[in-house]
Amino acid sequence: MNDLISRKMQSVKASAIREILKATSNPDIISFAGGNPAPETFPVEAIREISDRILSENPYSVLQYGITEGDSDFLKQANIFFNRNEQVTKDNDMIISATGSQQIMDLLSKTLCNEGDIIVSEEPAFLGALNCFKENGALLRGVGFKNEQLDLEALEEAFASSPKPKFFYTIPNFQNPMGTTMSLEVRRQVLALAKKYQIIILEDNPYGAIRFTDQAIPSIKSLDQDDLVIYAASLSKIMAPGMRLAVCIGRKDIVGKMVVAKQGADVHTNLWAQKVSAKLLETYDMDKHLKYLREVYQKKCELMLKTMDQAFKQRVTYTRPKGGMFIWVTMPDHIDVNEFVQKALKHRVAIVPGASFYIDDSLPCHSFRMNFSTPSDENIIKGVRILGELMGK
Amino acid sequence: MNDLISRKMQSVKASAIREILKATSNPDIISFAGGNPAPETFPVEAIREISDRILSENPYSVLQYGITEGDSDFLKQANIFFNRNEQVTKDNDMIISATGSQQIMDLLSKTLCNEGDIIVSEEPAFLGALNCFKENGALLRGVGFKNEQLDLEALEEAFASSPKPKFFYTIPNFQNPMGTTMSLEVRRQVLALAKKYQIIILEDNPYGAIRFTDQAIPSIKSLDQDDLVIYAASLSKIMAPGMRLAVCIGRKDIVGKMVVAKQGADVHTNLWAQKVSAKLLETYDMDKHLKYLREVYQKKCELMLKTMDQAFKQRVTYTRPKGGMFIWVTMPDHIDVNEFVQKALKHRVAIVPGASFYIDDSLPCHSFRMNFSTPSDENIIKGVRILGELMGK
């Protein structure tokens, strides 16, 4: 039985990150490798109460089949929530629920891409997005960063190339893996280029609410007057990721086709998650919740940066995120990062080699990713100090 | 912006069934069109109690990210449950959780098929499967039935054709849409042909537990000694469909790749559904539950058949299911079924035209599908009588 597995699935290798995450199931290992939200921020009591009320009063609303587009209560509340501070949803837009933002990447690739079509992605980028695009048969073209901002010349070159790309993928806020944020000016220019070349943008915003500054930069979607942006808004980081819940907002011709694709993918998203989240968004003090969540993340981020400043002694450079969950560390050129990552793992600290976040992970990369949302304060200090010692050796 | 939507998604049209189901949201309409399980069979109290206990005692097990393969408690209990009466899981098999059986179809197509590859399906077949396969870029080849059994000559012809098909899709128990069951002898022959031509079988078994007879026919998977069958076992009909939960059991090289595809599709299945179902399978009297469920469905099926015998007066023929949720009615050749379906809808009874379940739905089809699990007893009698009257006109 040759040629059993499809070409597109053969193109995705078991990733280094997966192997490292497996190692972190060992509780003796301090993990800066994952991307789990801080569990102390989950609104556990509210979820329990709301869940119990729904299962007592209206169990069939949670247990029977639902419609593919999403539960109407949930869509209504999510639409209100994600439009509180800016106009994300435009007049001609459609909003649908998804089984996490990951599903939005999957459905959009399926809806727009024939096998061999091009998707442009910022690079380094969220590994789950890159793999998902490959698994849908797309070819990837990366656009790098200069001084922590997207390289707009490279972006224009990618947009102008033939065959025309199907869409451009970006996380503008507190990017994964770098923790950096796209400036307002760059957002405007990305949009102008998308308009010039008529390229769809998939704006993925999982971390937008976890910001440590008062003022949010407007989403690309809110700036878009030309129906170019498909917006993915996740509830994983502001509510609870185990629920697997997100919404997708965008023009009807595309999002409507994504509904057809979703019908074939999982019929609809788990109704308990939708109903509980709808009630939470409607009745819970989300402003207070987000304020608390930001404080927790900011404290962890500052603790990690402060400890890094002391322990790393300027032997490496790193980003100083204004939100999100990740810090991106770049080592001097003469150091082999993969070796450093293995050495760190032997000393029971897990980090992710930067190459994992590149389309071609065999190219040299001098960076690694650190996560500050999951480890305890004690482990942040302990783990960073171990890394610092290893840098000295 | 031409060529915006991918070829594969353009190949799927908004289906007749979708339009009919929309009409059935009108409560004045008696719907025999849907495929919802009978809500009175949902173990509501047990789900509520277990859910509350988990959210009180171990909320993070439900709310944090989980692993893609599935929650280990759930996989353990599901594996025990689906192997109670026959050996479905073989030594080299892997079991994973899925967001409903629909996702298993999606992941298997993605894992095995390049654009333009062939999938063989029984025909008529579950519409959600046919659309899912098309949306993954596969071309479909149908194999029909003779005397309610799969046409084995046509199956061999399909298996032997070039290019070699990637897999064969079937619902052997209480098939959707016909309600018919594949005999043990045909199961053995399907397996022998799959072995001869080395074709993977996707055995979809959503209705297996809803049988009205004492003895179950062994699953094709349990008969398979050659790692040819990928088995999809849904919890939608025996627990609650809103949870979106199923397991996939099969050989590691394929199911392992499906895990990679699932990581890109939705990372993992909702953990609340997995944890609640694990506890339910472990602690609830599932034998008693299934006995009750079978009684409810058998009573509804018998009521519908009895009323049909009286009201239809042998002007049409129909299957007499031994389980499941559907009856397949075939009208005389001179009657236009699509017209009859529209006439029925005007008289407030919704049924699904048989052509919807064919790969090419423009070909003439003289059948329609009736569902007996969702309507009340009163509506079963009322709706069938209306259809009977319309047949006389």
Side-chain angles (χ1 to χ4, degrees):
Chain A
M1 229 179 276
N2 285 328
D3 306 322
L4 183 70
I5 304 297
S6 64
R7 285 187 298 270
K8 52 187 185 279
M9 284 307 300
Q10 284 183 38
S11 77
V12 179
K13 289 159 256 169
S15 69
I17 196 172
R18 233 180 124 77
E19 295 310 306
I20 289 165
L21 288 176
K22 258 187 203 164
T24 63
S25 64
N26 178 345
D28 292 342
I29 290 192
I30 296 174
S31 177
F32 300 150
N36 282 3
E40 63 265 38
T41 65
F42 299 163
V44 172
E45 263 316 294
I47 290 173
R48 199 188 60 72
E49 275 170 34
I50 290 169
S51 171
D52 192 47
R53 201 174 335 133
I54 293 171
L55 285 168
S56 300
E57 291 171 8
N58 196 2
Y60 301 114
S61 72
V62 166
L63 299 177
Q64 188 54 283
Y65 276 116
I67 63 168
T68 306
E69 289 84 345
D71 175 72
S72 57
D73 291 339
F74 170 65
L75 294 179
K76 184 183 161 194
Q77 295 303 329
N79 200 40
I80 293 170
F81 180 76
F82 289 112
N83 282 279
R84 286 181 319 162
N85 303 318
E86 55 176 14
Q87 200 200 340
V88 171
T89 310
K90 311 285 175 175
D91 287 349
N92 290 319
D93 277 353
M94 189 170 170
I95 177 169
I96 63 168
S97 67
T99 307
S101 278
Q102 186 69 51
Q103 189 178 52
I104 296 170
M105 300 165 208
D106 190 44
L107 298 179
L108 186 68
S109 322
K110 195 180 268 182
T111 296
L112 298 187
C113 296
N114 298 311
E115 202 165 335
D117 275 351
I118 310 290
I119 294 172
V120 178
S121 174
E122 58 185 11
E123 191 184 28
F126 170 46
L127 180 63
L130 298 180
N131 282 345
C132 169
F133 301 151
K134 285 184 199 168
E135 288 160 12
N136 278 286
L139 302 178
L140 297 178
R141 178 160 177 161
V143 171
F145 291 80
K146 278 184 178 173
N147 300 320
E148 301 191 359
Q149 289 297 327
L150 200 66
D151 181 343
L152 290 167
E153 271 179 49
L155 186 71
E156 177 152 21
E157 204 182 302
F159 281 5
S161 67
S162 181
K164 180 178 156 177
K166 280 303 181 102
F167 64 89
F168 167 58
Y169 174 78
T170 180
I171 300 180
N173 294 319
F174 326 121
Q175 201 247 17
N176 180 0
M178 295 200 301
T180 53
T181 293
M182 192 186 286
S183 71
L184 179 58
E185 180 51 28
V186 172
R187 289 175 199 226
R188 289 194 204 282
Q189 292 191 47
V190 166
L191 206 47
L193 287 174
K195 188 175 177 181
K196 181 173 173 191
Y197 294 97
Q198 288 292 294
I199 306 283
I200 298 295
I201 297 171
L202 173 53
E203 180 177 24
D204 189 9
N205 192 15
Y207 315 113
I210 317 174
R211 63 178 155 78
F212 312 150
T213 54
D214 284 341
Q215 204 61 40
I217 300 175
S219 65
I220 308 177
K221 180 76 172 79
S222 73
L223 302 170
D224 172 27
Q225 300 302 326
D226 300 279
D227 290 340
L228 292 165
V229 181
I230 304 292
Y231 188 75
S234 173
L235 288 152
S236 288
K237 275 78 187 180
I238 56 180
M239 214 163 268
M243 289 179 150
R244 313 302 311 119
L245 192 57
V247 293
C248 178
I249 302 170
R251 53 197 271 189
K252 281 192 191 112
D253 58 345
I254 293 177
V255 179
K257 269 287 178 193
M258 288 170 74
V259 173
V260 179
K262 183 170 169 60
Q263 177 121 32
D266 65 0
V267 187
H268 66 80
T269 292
N270 178 286
L271 277 174
W272 173 83
Q274 294 190 71
K275 283 285 182 197
V276 169
S277 298
K279 233 0 170 208
L280 210 58
L281 289 173
E282 188 188 349
T283 61
Y284 196 60
D285 188 341
M286 287 301 291
D287 284 324
K288 193 175 152 198
H289 173 61
L290 290 181
K291 190 166 171 284
Y292 167 64
L293 188 144
R294 285 167 191 155
E295 280 166 10
V296 169
Y297 281 72
Q298 183 168 11
K299 210 171 132 259
K300 281 175 180 288
C301 182
E302 284 174 356
L303 177 65
M304 186 172 264
L305 284 172
K306 196 181 110 194
T307 315
M308 286 165 73
D309 291 344
Q310 293 161 354
F312 291 179
K313 296 174 189 147
Q314 298 184 307
R315 286 170 295 194
V316 294
T317 58
Y318 35 91
T319 57
R320 302 192 86 87
K322 302 276 191 299
M325 314 195 336
F326 303 108
I327 298 171
W328 184 246
V329 182
T330 302
M331 306 190 84
D333 284 2
H334 67 274
I335 292 178
D336 182 323
V337 169
N338 289 325
E339 253 175 42
F340 182 77
V341 169
Q342 289 306 323
K343 199 162 65 172
L345 201 56
K346 265 182 209 147
H347 288 79
R348 306 193 171 189
V349 181
I351 50 178
V352 185
S356 309
F357 305 99
Y358 282 80
I359 294 164
D360 180 354
D361 63 4
S362 66
L363 293 177
C365 172
H366 297 286
S367 303
F368 61 85
R369 189 190 76 175
M370 293 175 72
N371 164 268
F372 55 77
S373 62
T374 321
S376 66
D377 290 0
E378 191 193 339
N379 277 344
I380 286 176
I381 295 171
K382 204 170 147 192
V384 168
R385 285 185 182 159
I386 291 171
L387 293 179
E389 278 168 35
L390 293 176
M391 283 173 193
K393 285 176 189 169
Chain B
M1 230 178 278
N2 284 329
D3 307 320
L4 182 69
I5 304 296
S6 64
R7 285 187 297 268
K8 51 187 183 280
M9 284 307 300
Q10 285 184 40
S11 77
V12 179
K13 288 160 256 167
S15 69
I17 195 173
R18 231 178 125 77
E19 296 309 307
I20 289 166
L21 288 175
K22 259 187 202 165
T24 63
S25 63
N26 179 346
D28 292 343
I29 289 192
I30 296 172
S31 177
F32 300 150
N36 283 3
E40 63 266 37
T41 64
F42 299 164
V44 173
E45 265 315 295
I47 289 173
R48 199 187 61 71
E49 276 170 34
I50 290 169
S51 171
D52 192 48
R53 203 176 332 136
I54 293 171
L55 286 168
S56 301
E57 291 171 7
N58 195 2
Y60 301 114
S61 71
V62 166
L63 299 177
Q64 187 54 283
Y65 276 116
I67 62 167
T68 306
E69 288 84 346
D71 176 73
S72 57
D73 291 339
F74 170 65
L75 294 179
K76 184 184 160 192
Q77 295 304 328
N79 199 41
I80 293 170
F81 180 75
F82 289 113
N83 282 281
R84 286 181 318 163
N85 303 318
E86 55 176 13
Q87 200 201 341
V88 170
T89 310
K90 310 287 175 171
D91 287 347
N92 290 320
D93 277 354
M94 191 173 169
I95 178 169
I96 63 169
S97 67
T99 308
S101 279
Q102 186 70 50
Q103 189 179 52
I104 297 170
M105 299 167 209
D106 190 43
L107 298 179
L108 187 68
S109 322
K110 195 181 270 181
T111 296
L112 298 186
C113 297
N114 298 311
E115 204 164 332
D117 275 351
I118 309 291
I119 294 172
V120 178
S121 173
E122 58 186 10
E123 189 184 30
F126 170 46
L127 180 62
L130 299 180
N131 282 345
C132 170
F133 301 151
K134 285 184 198 169
E135 288 160 12
N136 278 287
L139 302 178
L140 298 178
R141 176 158 181 163
V143 170
F145 291 80
K146 277 184 176 171
N147 300 319
E148 302 192 358
Q149 290 298 326
L150 199 66
D151 180 342
L152 291 167
E153 270 179 49
L155 186 70
E156 176 152 20
E157 203 182 305
F159 281 4
S161 68
S162 181
K164 181 179 156 177
K166 280 303 182 106
F167 66 88
F168 167 57
Y169 175 76
T170 180
I171 300 180
N173 294 320
F174 326 121
Q175 202 248 16
N176 180 0
M178 296 199 300
T180 53
T181 293
M182 192 187 285
S183 71
L184 179 58
E185 181 51 28
V186 172
R187 288 174 201 226
R188 289 193 202 282
Q189 292 191 46
V190 166
L191 205 47
L193 288 174
K195 188 175 176 182
K196 180 173 174 188
Y197 295 97
Q198 288 292 294
I199 305 283
I200 298 293
I201 297 171
L202 173 53
E203 180 177 24
D204 188 9
N205 192 15
Y207 316 112
I210 317 174
R211 63 179 156 74
F212 312 149
T213 54
D214 285 339
Q215 204 60 40
I217 300 175
S219 65
I220 307 178
K221 180 75 172 79
S222 73
L223 301 170
D224 173 26
Q225 300 302 328
D226 300 279
D227 290 340
L228 292 164
V229 181
I230 305 292
Y231 188 74
S234 173
L235 288 153
S236 289
K237 275 77 188 180
I238 56 180
M239 214 164 268
M243 290 179 151
R244 313 301 311 120
L245 193 56
V247 291
C248 177
I249 301 170
R251 54 196 270 186
K252 281 192 191 109
D253 58 345
I254 294 177
V255 178
K257 269 287 177 192
M258 289 170 73
V259 173
V260 180
K262 182 168 169 62
Q263 178 122 29
D266 65 0
V267 187
H268 66 79
T269 292
N270 179 286
L271 278 175
W272 173 82
Q274 294 190 70
K275 282 286 183 196
V276 169
S277 298
K279 229 8 170 203
L280 210 58
L281 289 173
E282 189 188 347
T283 60
Y284 197 62
D285 188 341
M286 287 300 292
D287 284 325
K288 193 176 153 195
H289 173 61
L290 290 181
K291 189 166 173 279
Y292 167 65
L293 188 145
R294 285 167 191 156
E295 280 168 9
V296 169
Y297 280 72
Q298 183 167 12
K299 210 172 134 255
K300 280 175 180 289
C301 181
E302 284 174 357
L303 177 65
M304 187 172 263
L305 283 171
K306 195 180 110 192
T307 317
M308 286 165 73
D309 291 344
Q310 292 161 354
F312 291 179
K313 293 173 191 147
Q314 298 184 309
R315 285 168 297 193
V316 294
T317 59
Y318 34 91
T319 57
R320 303 192 85 88
K322 301 278 191 297
M325 313 193 339
F326 303 109
I327 298 171
W328 185 247
V329 183
T330 302
M331 306 191 83
D333 284 2
H334 67 274
I335 293 178
D336 183 324
V337 169
N338 289 324
E339 254 177 41
F340 182 77
V341 168
Q342 290 306 323
K343 199 163 66 173
L345 201 56
K346 266 185 210 146
H347 288 79
R348 306 193 170 190
V349 181
I351 50 178
V352 184
S356 309
F357 306 99
Y358 283 80
I359 295 165
D360 180 354
D361 64 5
S362 67
L363 293 177
C365 172
H366 298 285
S367 302
F368 61 85
R369 189 189 75 175
M370 293 176 73
N371 164 267
F372 55 79
S373 61
T374 321
S376 66
D377 290 0
E378 191 192 339
N379 276 344
I380 286 176
I381 295 170
K382 206 169 144 191
V384 169
R385 285 184 182 159
I386 291 172
L387 293 178
E389 277 167 35
L390 293 175
M391 283 173 192
K393 281 175 191 170

